[in-house]
PDB file of all heavy atoms in Angstrom:
ATOM      1  N   GLU A   5       5.423   3.031   3.508  1.00 45.00           N
ATOM      2  CA  GLU A   5       6.664   3.399   2.830  1.00 45.00           C
ATOM      3  C   GLU A   5       7.750   2.364   3.110  1.00 45.00           C
ATOM      4  O   GLU A   5       7.964   2.014   4.261  1.00 45.00           O
ATOM      5  CB  GLU A   5       7.138   4.762   3.370  1.00 45.00           C
ATOM      6  CG  GLU A   5       6.122   5.845   3.206  1.00 45.00           C
ATOM      7  CD  GLU A   5       6.504   6.787   2.105  1.00 45.00           C
ATOM      8  OE1 GLU A   5       7.572   6.587   1.483  1.00 45.00           O
ATOM      9  OE2 GLU A   5       5.739   7.720   1.853  1.00 45.00           O
ATOM     10  N   ASN A  21       7.608  -0.219  23.488  1.00 46.00           N
ATOM     11  CA  ASN A  21       6.547   0.403  24.291  1.00 46.00           C
ATOM     12  C   ASN A  21       5.231   0.333  23.546  1.00 46.00           C
ATOM     13  O   ASN A  21       5.183   0.148  22.329  1.00 46.00           O
ATOM     14  CB  ASN A  21       6.917   1.856  24.571  1.00 46.00           C
ATOM     15  CG  ASN A  21       7.305   2.563  23.302  1.00 46.00           C
ATOM     16  OD1 ASN A  21       7.716   1.907  22.365  1.00 46.00           O
ATOM     17  ND2 ASN A  21       7.129   3.857  23.267  1.00 46.00           N
ATOM     18  N   GLU A 134      40.413  -4.727  53.534  1.00 82.00           N
ATOM     19  CA  GLU A 134      40.724  -5.775  52.544  1.00 82.00           C
ATOM     20  C   GLU A 134      40.353  -7.163  53.005  1.00 82.00           C
ATOM     21  O   GLU A 134      41.107  -8.108  52.826  1.00 82.00           O
ATOM     22  CB  GLU A 134      42.220  -5.717  52.203  1.00 82.00           C
ATOM     23  CG  GLU A 134      42.553  -4.521  51.322  1.00 82.00           C
ATOM     24  CD  GLU A 134      43.932  -4.676  50.672  1.00 82.00           C
ATOM     25  OE1 GLU A 134      43.982  -5.351  49.653  1.00 82.00           O
ATOM     26  OE2 GLU A 134      44.888  -4.118  51.212  1.00 82.00           O
ATOM     27  N   SER A 163      16.532  -0.552  37.871  1.00 91.00           N
ATOM     28  CA  SER A 163      17.433   0.553  38.190  1.00 91.00           C
ATOM     29  C   SER A 163      17.679   0.654  39.677  1.00 91.00           C
ATOM     30  O   SER A 163      18.796   0.858  40.130  1.00 91.00           O
ATOM     31  CB  SER A 163      16.828   1.889  37.699  1.00 91.00           C
ATOM     32  OG  SER A 163      16.731   1.878  36.307  1.00 91.00           O
ATOM     33  N   TYR A 251      38.169 -20.862  91.694  1.00 93.00           N
ATOM     34  CA  TYR A 251      39.270 -21.408  92.466  1.00 93.00           C
ATOM     35  C   TYR A 251      39.529 -20.523  93.680  1.00 93.00           C
ATOM     36  O   TYR A 251      39.650 -21.008  94.822  1.00 93.00           O
ATOM     37  CB  TYR A 251      40.508 -21.499  91.576  1.00 93.00           C
ATOM     38  CG  TYR A 251      41.802 -21.773  92.289  1.00 93.00           C
ATOM     39  CD1 TYR A 251      42.118 -23.072  92.685  1.00 93.00           C
ATOM     40  CD2 TYR A 251      42.693 -20.756  92.574  1.00 93.00           C
ATOM     41  CE1 TYR A 251      43.310 -23.333  93.350  1.00 93.00           C
ATOM     42  CE2 TYR A 251      43.879 -20.999  93.224  1.00 93.00           C
ATOM     43  CZ  TYR A 251      44.188 -22.284  93.616  1.00 93.00           C
ATOM     44  OH  TYR A 251      45.355 -22.535  94.264  1.00 93.00           O
ATOM     45  N   GLU A 256      39.894 -19.674  99.431  1.00 91.00           N
ATOM     46  CA  GLU A 256      40.090 -18.665 100.484  1.00 91.00           C
ATOM     47  C   GLU A 256      39.348 -19.032 101.778  1.00 91.00           C
ATOM     48  O   GLU A 256      39.948 -18.996 102.867  1.00 91.00           O
ATOM     49  CB  GLU A 256      39.668 -17.302  99.975  1.00 91.00           C
ATOM     50  CG  GLU A 256      40.317 -16.202 100.793  1.00 91.00           C
ATOM     51  CD  GLU A 256      39.877 -14.823 100.352  1.00 91.00           C
ATOM     52  OE1 GLU A 256      39.103 -14.706  99.390  1.00 91.00           O
ATOM     53  OE2 GLU A 256      40.315 -13.870 101.002  1.00 91.00           O
ATOM     54  N   SER A 319      58.898 -57.039 129.709  1.00 78.00           N
ATOM     55  CA  SER A 319      59.508 -58.375 129.676  1.00 78.00           C
ATOM     56  C   SER A 319      60.895 -58.256 130.295  1.00 78.00           C
ATOM     57  O   SER A 319      61.576 -57.261 130.064  1.00 78.00           O
ATOM     58  CB  SER A 319      59.650 -58.842 128.239  1.00 78.00           C
ATOM     59  OG  SER A 319      58.488 -58.547 127.515  1.00 78.00           O
ATOM     60  N   PHE A 377      72.527 -54.490 128.155  1.00 44.00           N
ATOM     61  CA  PHE A 377      71.111 -54.557 128.475  1.00 44.00           C
ATOM     62  C   PHE A 377      70.826 -54.514 129.950  1.00 44.00           C
ATOM     63  O   PHE A 377      69.693 -54.438 130.349  1.00 44.00           O
ATOM     64  CB  PHE A 377      70.528 -55.843 127.902  1.00 44.00           C
ATOM     65  CG  PHE A 377      70.558 -55.851 126.416  1.00 44.00           C
ATOM     66  CD1 PHE A 377      71.575 -56.467 125.742  1.00 44.00           C
ATOM     67  CD2 PHE A 377      69.563 -55.178 125.701  1.00 44.00           C
ATOM     68  CE1 PHE A 377      71.614 -56.452 124.373  1.00 44.00           C
ATOM     69  CE2 PHE A 377      69.602 -55.167 124.340  1.00 44.00           C
ATOM     70  CZ  PHE A 377      70.614 -55.796 123.657  1.00 44.00           C
TER      71      PHE A 377
ATOM     72  N   GLU B  27       8.579   8.906  24.884  1.00 87.00           N
ATOM     73  CA  GLU B  27       9.243   8.837  23.578  1.00 87.00           C
ATOM     74  C   GLU B  27       9.297  10.226  22.982  1.00 87.00           C
ATOM     75  O   GLU B  27       8.623  11.147  23.421  1.00 87.00           O
ATOM     76  CB  GLU B  27       8.466   7.967  22.564  1.00 87.00           C
ATOM     77  CG  GLU B  27       7.834   6.725  23.027  1.00 87.00           C
ATOM     78  CD  GLU B  27       7.152   6.008  21.863  1.00 87.00           C
ATOM     79  OE1 GLU B  27       6.242   6.606  21.245  1.00 87.00           O
ATOM     80  OE2 GLU B  27       7.516   4.875  21.576  1.00 87.00           O
ATOM     81  N   LEU B  59       2.207  10.071   2.995  1.00 78.00           N
ATOM     82  CA  LEU B  59       3.082   9.630   1.898  1.00 78.00           C
ATOM     83  C   LEU B  59       4.365  10.435   1.779  1.00 78.00           C
ATOM     84  O   LEU B  59       5.372   9.928   1.328  1.00 78.00           O
ATOM     85  CB  LEU B  59       2.346   9.686   0.535  1.00 78.00           C
ATOM     86  CG  LEU B  59       0.985   9.002   0.470  1.00 78.00           C
ATOM     87  CD1 LEU B  59       0.422   9.072  -0.934  1.00 78.00           C
ATOM     88  CD2 LEU B  59       1.063   7.570   0.953  1.00 78.00           C
ATOM     89  N   LYS B  95      24.002   4.851  33.159  1.00 89.00           N
ATOM     90  CA  LYS B  95      22.671   5.392  32.901  1.00 89.00           C
ATOM     91  C   LYS B  95      22.793   6.467  31.859  1.00 89.00           C
ATOM     92  O   LYS B  95      23.609   7.393  32.017  1.00 89.00           O
ATOM     93  CB  LYS B  95      22.075   5.966  34.193  1.00 89.00           C
ATOM     94  CG  LYS B  95      21.784   4.932  35.248  1.00 89.00           C
ATOM     95  CD  LYS B  95      20.446   4.324  35.041  1.00 89.00           C
ATOM     96  CE  LYS B  95      20.155   3.289  36.131  1.00 89.00           C
ATOM     97  NZ  LYS B  95      19.057   2.415  35.773  1.00 89.00           N
ATOM     98  N   ARG B 187      44.992 -14.576  54.728  1.00 90.00           N
ATOM     99  CA  ARG B 187      45.338 -13.502  55.654  1.00 90.00           C
ATOM    100  C   ARG B 187      44.249 -13.342  56.714  1.00 90.00           C
ATOM    101  O   ARG B 187      44.520 -13.173  57.898  1.00 90.00           O
ATOM    102  CB  ARG B 187      45.520 -12.197  54.882  1.00 90.00           C
ATOM    103  CG  ARG B 187      45.986 -11.047  55.766  1.00 90.00           C
ATOM    104  CD  ARG B 187      46.223  -9.805  54.962  1.00 90.00           C
ATOM    105  NE  ARG B 187      45.184  -9.545  53.999  1.00 90.00           N
ATOM    106  CZ  ARG B 187      43.977  -9.094  54.323  1.00 90.00           C
ATOM    107  NH1 ARG B 187      43.668  -8.909  55.581  1.00 90.00           N
ATOM    108  NH2 ARG B 187      43.085  -8.863  53.386  1.00 90.00           N
ATOM    109  N   LYS B 217      47.955 -14.880  99.020  1.00 94.00           N
ATOM    110  CA  LYS B 217      47.169 -14.420 100.153  1.00 94.00           C
ATOM    111  C   LYS B 217      47.006 -15.547 101.164  1.00 94.00           C
ATOM    112  O   LYS B 217      47.204 -15.355 102.375  1.00 94.00           O
ATOM    113  CB  LYS B 217      45.819 -13.959  99.645  1.00 94.00           C
ATOM    114  CG  LYS B 217      44.992 -13.207 100.675  1.00 94.00           C
ATOM    115  CD  LYS B 217      43.724 -12.693 100.032  1.00 94.00           C
ATOM    116  CE  LYS B 217      42.754 -12.190 101.083  1.00 94.00           C
ATOM    117  NZ  LYS B 217      41.463 -11.840 100.506  1.00 94.00           N
ATOM    118  N   LYS B 271      55.028 -54.847 126.935  1.00 77.00           N
ATOM    119  CA  LYS B 271      55.675 -56.154 126.970  1.00 77.00           C
ATOM    120  C   LYS B 271      56.783 -56.275 125.945  1.00 77.00           C
ATOM    121  O   LYS B 271      57.602 -57.166 125.993  1.00 77.00           O
ATOM    122  CB  LYS B 271      54.620 -57.248 126.695  1.00 77.00           C
ATOM    123  CG  LYS B 271      53.652 -57.417 127.867  1.00 77.00           C
ATOM    124  CD  LYS B 271      54.325 -58.121 129.053  1.00 77.00           C
ATOM    125  CE  LYS B 271      53.379 -58.155 130.263  1.00 77.00           C
ATOM    126  NZ  LYS B 271      54.149 -58.523 131.476  1.00 77.00           N
ATOM    127  N   VAL B 276      67.035 -56.679 130.266  1.00 78.00           N
ATOM    128  CA  VAL B 276      67.942 -57.740 130.747  1.00 78.00           C
ATOM    129  C   VAL B 276      68.555 -57.203 132.021  1.00 78.00           C
ATOM    130  O   VAL B 276      69.245 -56.184 131.983  1.00 78.00           O
ATOM    131  CB  VAL B 276      69.010 -58.036 129.705  1.00 78.00           C
ATOM    132  CG1 VAL B 276      69.933 -59.117 130.205  1.00 78.00           C
ATOM    133  CG2 VAL B 276      68.365 -58.427 128.377  1.00 78.00           C
TER     134      VAL B 276
END
Side-chain angles (χ1 to χ4, degrees):
Chain A
E5 303 254 359
N21 50 336
E134 287 195 82
S163 295
Y251 168 79
E256 201 182 359
S319 317
F377 295 96
Chain B
E27 321 181 300
L59 309 183
K95 293 275 181 196
R187 185 177 44 74
K217 191 175 168 187
K271 289 287 175 193
V276 180

